[in-house]
Amino acid sequence: MNDQPEGIDTARALTRPEPSADGATDRTGPAHPWHRFVALGDSFTEGIGDPDPDRPGSWRGWADRAAAELGRSVDGFEYANLAVRGKLYRQILDDQLEPAIALKPDLVSLCAGGNDVLRRGDPDEIAAALDDAVGQLAAGGATIVMWTGADIGETPVLNLVRGRVAIYNENIRSVAARHGAAVVDMWGLRALTHESMWAEDRLHFSAAGHLLIASAMLDVLGVEHTLDPYPLEDPHTRPWREARQQDLHWARTHFGPWVMRRLRGQSSGDGIAPKRPHPEPVFGQPMPPGVSATEADIDPDGHPRPER
């Protein structure tokens, strides 16, 4: 149907050039076959939960981290990120699919439907729309990367849709198999169930989570990389009363406002533009601050506020 599987197998057979004695990377031969990476999605792909410590007010995330690694060994490698927080799958496809195709990428990441599943959307309807979108992306010859949802069984309230996430995941695998796409199985990444992998809002991944996810994507593509996920410490065992108090604090601070936005028909992505709409080089270049950050997104300490 297309040549994605061969491209991925080729990438596994290639290795990244070793740094020379002066520390510079030998870039005479590519370590992978891709030259332009475009990421589509919502807050997961925008990078919410992973603030850039060097640029207050901007988000980093797994896509930025993976793109930086991909850009190390290919001259002229470019990366665009069209994702916007809070978007539903139909908004992602309506707003991002055509611009992504127009950029003519040879590597595309598509993750959509997570917000819909949390709102009890129909996983089968989501899959049907994604199937069509992936077919359009694959028709251009790009390698497609898709994502299963992580296991949220340990998260209060959200664990009520755990079964719906499992159905969504099986549909994602079916769509990917039909079009020769690669799948990053976040459900199977059991380390993501560790509390340190999640931001305080329990809706987005932390810096540690985004780092692990970026590493997993590169592993699936067969690209050698320098990412070293943080070691996991044993979760802190909290007394029952302390754990319940923390759950109540989370509900008041994060979950309650999230529900109120849903009831009001509002989205944290309203009025937000993609942080990186144009393909640009990554390796050796400072990552631009996310243009989506506004003054309201910044807390008193200069860090972005996590929100869906």
Side-chain angles (χ1 to χ4, degrees):
M1 188 171 299
N2 56 57
D3 60 358
Q4 270 94 339
E6 287 77 7
I8 295 172
D9 290 342
T10 300
R12 288 196 182 98
L14 298 173
T15 57
R16 181 202 313 263
E18 294 294 331
S20 61
D22 62 1
T25 301
D26 178 6
R27 302 169 69 185
T28 57
H32 59 77
W34 301 290
H35 293 82
R36 178 172 289 180
F37 170 38
V38 176
L40 295 76
D42 53 25
S43 58
F44 167 68
T45 302
E46 186 184 346
I48 306 299
D50 183 13
D52 189 331
D54 298 323
R55 298 171 182 82
S58 64
W59 299 104
R60 187 166 39 182
W62 67 263
D64 287 8
R65 293 172 180 268
E69 291 293 317
L70 289 166
R72 289 183 182 276
S73 55
V74 173
D75 286 317
F77 182 84
E78 296 178 325
Y79 160 57
N81 189 320
L82 308 182
V84 175
R85 68 195 75 171
K87 296 301 183 181
L88 303 177
Y89 82 89
R90 179 48 62 189
Q91 294 171 313
I92 292 171
L93 300 184
D94 288 347
D95 298 342
Q96 301 175 27
L97 182 59
E98 287 189 8
I101 292 173
L103 294 177
K104 298 182 179 179
D106 53 10
L107 177 63
V108 178
S109 170
L110 173 60
C111 185
N115 288 325
D116 300 85
V117 172
L118 289 179
R119 301 184 193 191
R120 300 184 180 275
D122 185 345
D124 294 334
E125 290 183 3
I126 297 169
L130 292 181
D131 184 58
D132 178 70
V134 174
Q136 293 183 55
L137 291 166
T143 296
I144 315 297
V145 180
M146 302 186 73
W147 307 77
T148 66
D151 187 353
I152 53 177
E154 300 299 321
T155 305
V157 182
L158 300 183
N159 57 12
L160 297 176
V161 299
R162 185 176 187 239
R164 198 175 297 267
V165 174
I167 296 172
Y168 169 87
N169 288 348
E170 288 305 305
N171 286 343
I172 289 296
R173 294 186 182 98
S174 295
V175 171
R178 187 154 42 247
H179 297 285
V183 176
V184 181
D185 182 14
M186 293 202 296
W187 185 282
L189 285 176
R190 303 316 297 170
L192 289 179
T193 62
H194 195 283
E195 61 184 19
S196 67
M197 294 288 149
W198 295 85
E200 182 182 351
D201 65 2
R202 304 183 187 179
L203 292 169
H204 300 98
F205 292 104
S206 65
H210 278 281
L211 178 62
L212 176 63
I213 292 165
S215 175
M217 173 190 171
L218 295 171
D219 288 343
V220 165
L221 291 176
V223 176
E224 293 189 5
H225 56 84
T226 64
L227 299 182
D228 187 14
Y230 303 133
L232 296 179
E233 299 178 358
D234 292 334
H236 174 58
T237 302
R238 297 181 293 272
W240 183 89
R241 183 181 299 275
E242 179 183 345
R244 298 295 76 75
Q245 289 176 338
Q246 291 182 353
D247 289 343
L248 289 173
H249 173 75
W250 166 77
R252 287 194 302 266
T253 305
H254 300 290
F255 186 69
W258 183 82
V259 171
M260 290 305 298
R261 288 198 298 274
R262 305 289 77 77
L263 294 175
R264 294 169 181 163
Q266 298 174 334
S267 170
S268 57
D270 291 344
I272 301 298
K275 68 177 183 179
R276 196 180 177 104
H278 306 295
E280 296 175 339
V282 181
F283 184 73
Q285 301 287 335
M287 294 300 296
V291 297
S292 58
T294 66
E295 184 176 350
D297 295 322
I298 311 304
D299 66 20
D301 296 324
H303 298 295
R305 299 181 189 275
E307 59 174 337
R308 172 76 62 175

